[in-house]
Amino acid sequence: MRQSRGTMKLITSLLFALAVVSSAQEAPKKDPFIKDKKPVVTPQPAEQEANITFFLESFTLPQADFAAWLELPEGREKLHEMVLAAVKAGTAKLDACHFARGKGGTRFTLESVDELLYPTEWFTADAKGFQYPVAFEMKQVGEKLEVEPTLEPSNMKLNLNHSFERVRFLGLRASKADRTLPGLVVPDFQEQRGPAMVSLLARLPALLHAIAAGEGQITLTFITPRVVPVPRPAQAPPQGAGNIVLTPRVISLERVRAWEMLRQHAEDGPAILKALKPMLADGSAVLEHVSTLSAKAGMGILHEAVRQHYYGTEFDPPSEGAPAKPSDDPKKPATPATSSSSAGTASFECRRIGFNWVAETTLSHEGDIIHTNIAFDLTSFAGNLADPLWDERYPEMPVFVSQKFTTGVTQVAGSTILLSTLNPPGDTGVNGCKDGGRVWLLFLTEELE
């Protein structure tokens, strides 16, 4: 059926009107007097960087005094105060003082040990009963602290996996398979340790363990954790070459003086350095080491100021020799005679003696905070093992001293922090080593250039 032009125009107008009505129903009409509001985004403050420090104190006192304190109504709560009073009165002795700084979730290790090599395997005894050592193991003798903290969101409480051990060499003693023969020697060690996981409150000293020290004495070890925020600098760092400059510095002083400084200023490296200046001038404090290296962020840093010390690790035992032996079987040759021979060295190793440290740094996005992983090490040669029972026919066994700290820290560019103590071993019993009564302090300055 043919439709007129008027009819077509009417249908088109109706379809257009329906489309407009449908569109109006789908999208509500906007008020021209109300402007669109964009959601307000509140900027979130950057998470506060922080380090965790641990101040460890070890005291030896009569165990009867400790037992009496525990019977007091507030004995456990005021135990640290009573120990400090006993030190002042002279009835307790401060015999160890250590400090370590690191980040939560990071394990850091502090070593102050003599490395003692002792025989574990021996060659067959000769006709006179003499046996020669052919294999050795190494025992760390001294003090070793390992901590791995996990900080809770409040920054007031933390969980700590810890291990503080003390090992002392008591000397060699004879061990005989036949009491008529000279036999061989074995080492005796005294060990104190109490690894555990504990919860600690920041800034409050906590008793890690109380361990018998022999002859009616007991050793009490306290640790005081502190959460040290890393403040962001007010000004942006200057634009330079983009290198990070690391300067570690080691200063030693008498233990009680160091202990008093650490109790007052453990969080403030510049304050301790300021207090050390007059002591360096009068000789009561000694600058043991200072060095400087620079590298780009993200690159490794290696410092070595060492000498190579070679020593034997595998040995051939002496031989008495043997006469020739004729053969009873014509098809087998006779055994020829062997001559006697002295002991010999079959293999050597090398130990690097001196200061050695490695580090790797990263820079924050803003370029003002430096994150550093560092291992600082001093190795010394303390002579060969000397003991009345170490026979002159045995091989020379070197004794090495290791003062080492490994950690990861955060600090502001251009600042100086007290990183750790780096004490030499105390009364380890190795080669008659006695406690020197000194504490070594390791500072770290980091700058941008």
Side-chain angles (χ1 to χ4, degrees):
M1 180 182 296
R2 181 177 293 178
Q3 295 178 346
S4 65
R5 287 184 177 181
T7 304
M8 291 294 294
K9 289 181 178 180
L10 178 61
I11 293 174
T12 302
S13 300
L14 290 172
L15 291 174
F16 179 78
L18 288 172
V20 171
V21 172
S22 175
S23 175
Q25 290 176 347
E26 291 177 1
K29 188 176 181 180
K30 296 182 179 180
D31 191 334
F33 296 100
I34 300 177
K35 296 182 178 180
D36 293 338
K37 293 184 178 181
K38 296 181 180 179
V40 177
V41 179
T42 304
Q44 298 295 323
E47 184 177 353
Q48 176 72 62
E49 298 280 0
N51 290 315
I52 304 175
T53 67
F54 293 94
F55 178 42
L56 185 140
E57 308 161 279
S58 182
F59 306 91
T60 298
L61 60 146
Q63 62 181 1
D65 292 351
F66 175 62
W69 292 341
L70 295 179
E71 298 298 325
L72 299 176
E74 298 181 346
R76 293 187 181 275
E77 289 76 10
K78 296 186 177 181
L79 186 58
H80 188 255
E81 296 178 19
M82 290 186 287
V83 172
L84 296 183
V87 171
K88 187 175 181 180
T91 57
K93 177 186 176 183
L94 172 73
D95 52 29
C97 175
H98 298 286
F99 175 85
R101 182 188 301 259
K103 294 188 294 188
T106 302
R107 170 171 296 203
F108 33 113
T109 304
L110 181 60
E111 294 180 4
S112 171
V113 297
D114 289 330
E115 297 177 352
L116 177 66
L117 292 166
Y118 64 95
T120 55
E121 294 184 18
W122 298 78
F123 197 70
T124 304
D126 60 18
K128 297 180 180 179
F130 174 76
Q131 290 184 254
Y132 192 81
V134 293
F136 294 80
E137 288 187 2
M138 189 271 285
K139 181 82 168 181
Q140 290 188 329
V141 183
E143 298 175 344
K144 185 175 181 180
L145 172 66
E146 289 183 283
V147 291
E148 185 175 357
T150 303
L151 190 61
E152 295 194 354
S154 65
N155 279 7
M156 296 302 296
K157 184 179 179 181
L158 55 92
N159 297 315
L160 180 67
N161 277 318
H162 71 84
S163 174
F164 178 64
E165 67 176 41
R166 309 178 78 176
V167 180
R168 190 176 188 278
F169 176 56
L170 301 180
L172 298 173
R173 60 180 173 85
S175 178
K176 300 182 179 183
D178 183 334
R179 288 179 295 171
T180 65
L181 300 177
L184 45 81
V185 293
V186 294
D188 284 338
F189 299 102
Q190 180 188 51
E191 301 184 357
Q192 295 175 309
R193 62 173 59 87
M197 179 175 182
V198 294
S199 293
L200 302 177
L201 295 176
R203 310 190 72 85
L204 293 180
L207 179 66
L208 284 187
H209 47 65
I211 298 181
E215 299 181 1
Q217 299 289 300
I218 194 166
T219 299
L220 275 60
T221 300
F222 295 88
I223 195 165
T224 304
R226 292 182 176 90
V227 180
V228 185
V230 180
R232 304 202 78 89
Q235 298 179 351
Q239 297 296 322
N243 295 323
I244 298 177
V245 182
L246 277 72
T247 303
R249 192 174 323 184
V250 182
I251 300 174
S252 69
L253 69 160
E254 194 268 332
R255 177 182 293 148
V256 174
R257 295 287 298 275
W259 176 55
E260 293 170 348
M261 284 186 183
L262 291 173
R263 290 181 60 200
Q264 296 177 8
H265 306 295
E267 301 173 13
D268 193 344
I272 297 181
L273 276 176
K274 182 178 179 181
L276 286 171
K277 282 186 178 180
M279 299 178 64
L280 288 167
D282 65 23
S284 57
V286 177
L287 177 64
E288 303 286 351
H289 172 82
V290 62
S291 57
T292 294
L293 286 178
S294 63
K296 290 181 65 65
M299 306 301 294
I301 299 174
L302 170 64
H303 169 278
E304 286 187 325
V306 298
R307 64 178 177 86
Q308 296 181 346
H309 183 96
Y310 286 90
Y311 62 99
T313 55
E314 295 183 12
F315 304 93
D316 295 322
S319 172
E320 294 180 315
K325 292 183 179 180
S327 175
D328 296 334
D329 187 348
K331 295 182 179 181
K332 294 182 179 181
T335 302
T338 58
S339 59
S340 61
S341 62
S342 301
T345 304
S347 179
F348 285 87
E349 287 188 6
C350 177
R351 191 64 184 270
R352 307 173 83 80
I353 305 300
F355 283 95
N356 172 36
W357 56 273
V358 295
E360 184 175 355
T361 61
T362 57
L363 202 57
S364 67
H365 178 72
E366 296 80 4
D368 54 2
I369 300 293
I370 303 173
H371 305 277
T372 306
N373 290 323
I374 185 169
F376 194 93
D377 179 24
L378 169 61
T379 301
S380 308
F381 174 59
N384 294 316
L385 175 62
D387 187 279
L389 294 183
W390 191 251
D391 195 283
E392 62 180 358
R393 292 172 291 178
Y394 295 159
E396 291 183 342
M397 284 289 101
V399 176
F400 297 108
V401 180
S402 177
Q403 299 165 237
K404 184 176 182 179
F405 182 58
T406 303
T407 191
V409 294
T410 299
Q411 71 182 95
V412 177
S415 68
T416 298
I417 61 173
L418 175 62
L419 196 61
S420 74
T421 48
L422 198 76
N423 304 337
D427 183 8
T428 63
V430 179
N431 286 0
C433 179
K434 298 298 182 182
D435 184 7
R438 292 184 72 82
V439 167
W440 290 29
L441 301 177
L442 170 60
F443 299 89
L444 179 63
T445 301
E446 294 191 319
E447 301 170 296
L448 297 177
E449 69 171 5

